[in-house]
């Protein structure tokens, strides 16, 4: 076998090896984020309530949606009933759906979301008290600043935009012009680490590039010995 023929053969082997390495190094990207789309986001002050129809919390009927009081049921002064989303407080994320109306007068002072007491307790690290229907262990704190995200609008009347006070009557008006969804945030570029090179690939590549004076510096026996290391 001539040196030229051997060089060409080894070059072909090297090209195949490099191609295999390239294929092996291609990352299997995960599917795109499948979380529900963001229709509206903002921040507000949130209070809490628990209406078990006993009258202990001042209410004697079911929530406005007709759904029984439960964890994740929230009250809004203006969003349509059965609107869905989530809130974030100090890095903790909790889902909610609008099942009732409120708060009333506090919404005039910027309290635009009334979370259920169990969700409020979990967000703040407190404990729901079934006897008082309040949240213990948070020093009597009844209001927190939260970020909110709406992922689905309810179909009934209500304002499909930034929340407004209950006194505006927006909760009773049909809104056919929902807020324009915010532009999606660009995904952060992630660097893909280079795959480790096997001893076999290293030996073949070394044999391909180690050429001196038109002849191979590494003999086929030497390459085989490197491959068998």
């Amino acid at each position: 076998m001539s040196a030229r023929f051997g060089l060409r053969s080894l070059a072909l082997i090297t090209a195949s090896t490099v191609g295999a390495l390239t294929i092996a190094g291609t990352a299997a990207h995960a599917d795109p984020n499948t979380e529900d789309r963001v229709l509206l986001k903002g921040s507000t002050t949130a209070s809490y309530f628990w209406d078990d129809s006993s009258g202990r919390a001042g209410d004697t009927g079911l929530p406005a949606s007709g759904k029984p009081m439960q964890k994740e049921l929230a009250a809004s002064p203006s969003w349509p009933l059965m609107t869905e989303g989530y809130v974030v407080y100090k890095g903790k994320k909790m889902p909610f759906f609008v099942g009732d109306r409120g708060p009333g007068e506090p919404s005039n002072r910027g309290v635009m979301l009334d979370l259920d007491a169990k969700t409020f307790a979990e967000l703040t690290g407190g404990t729901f008290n079934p006897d008082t229907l309040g949240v213990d262990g948070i020093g009597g704190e009844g209001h927190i600043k939260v970020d909110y995200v709406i992922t689905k609008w309810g179909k009934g009347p209500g304002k499909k935009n930034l929340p407004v006070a209950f006194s505006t009557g927006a909760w009773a008006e049909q809104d056919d012009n929902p807020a324009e969804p915010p532009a999606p945030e660009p995904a952060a570029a992630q660097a893909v680490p280079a795959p480790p090179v096997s001893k076999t690939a290293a030996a073949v590549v070394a044999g391909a590039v180690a050429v001196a004076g038109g002849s191979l510096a590494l003999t086929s026996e030497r390459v085989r010995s490197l491959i068998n290391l």
Side-chain angles (χ1 to χ4, degrees):
M1 179 185 295
S2 67
R4 179 178 298 176
F5 181 78
L7 177 61
R8 183 175 180 181
S9 300
L10 192 53
L12 289 173
I13 295 172
T14 303
S16 300
T17 303
V18 173
L21 287 174
T22 302
I23 294 172
T26 302
H29 295 288
D31 292 336
N33 189 351
T34 57
E35 188 176 52
D36 291 331
R37 58 179 178 166
V38 175
L39 300 180
L40 180 73
K41 61 181 179 179
S43 58
T44 189
T45 299
S47 52
Y48 75 85
F49 78 113
W50 190 269
D51 176 14
D52 66 353
S53 301
S54 68
R56 288 182 293 165
D59 297 313
T60 57
L62 284 173
S65 65
K67 301 290 184 180
M69 192 67 211
Q70 59 192 278
K71 187 178 180 182
E72 299 178 8
L73 187 153
S76 169
S78 61
W79 290 332
L81 294 174
M82 304 312 296
T83 290
E84 299 176 11
Y86 58 86
V87 293
V88 180
Y89 176 70
K90 293 185 177 180
K92 184 172 289 187
K93 175 180 172 181
M94 294 288 291
F96 73 85
F97 72 92
V98 177
D100 205 358
R101 288 293 172 214
E105 190 279 332
S107 63
N108 293 326
R109 295 180 275 113
V111 184
M112 296 295 183
L113 189 60
D114 216 1
L115 300 170
D116 75 273
K118 292 183 178 180
T119 293
F120 193 93
E122 189 162 338
L123 285 171
T124 58
T127 303
F128 173 67
N129 187 325
D131 296 322
T132 65
L133 305 183
V135 178
D136 297 337
I138 57 174
E141 180 60 58
H143 298 84
I144 57 175
K145 292 286 187 179
V146 298
D147 295 320
Y148 63 79
V149 172
I150 299 299
T151 58
K152 179 182 178 182
W153 291 116
K155 296 181 180 180
K159 186 177 178 65
K160 298 175 181 177
N161 209 315
L162 298 176
V164 295
F166 183 84
S167 60
T168 65
W171 53 271
E173 300 174 1
Q174 187 67 42
D175 186 357
D176 296 322
N177 187 30
E180 189 72 21
E185 298 178 0
Q190 295 185 353
V192 179
V197 180
S198 66
K199 291 182 179 180
T200 300
V204 174
V205 172
V209 298
V211 180
S215 60
L216 293 175
L218 293 179
T219 64
S220 58
E221 289 78 7
R222 178 55 178 158
V223 171
R224 281 196 294 270
S225 67
L226 288 172
I227 291 175
N228 294 326
L229 285 177

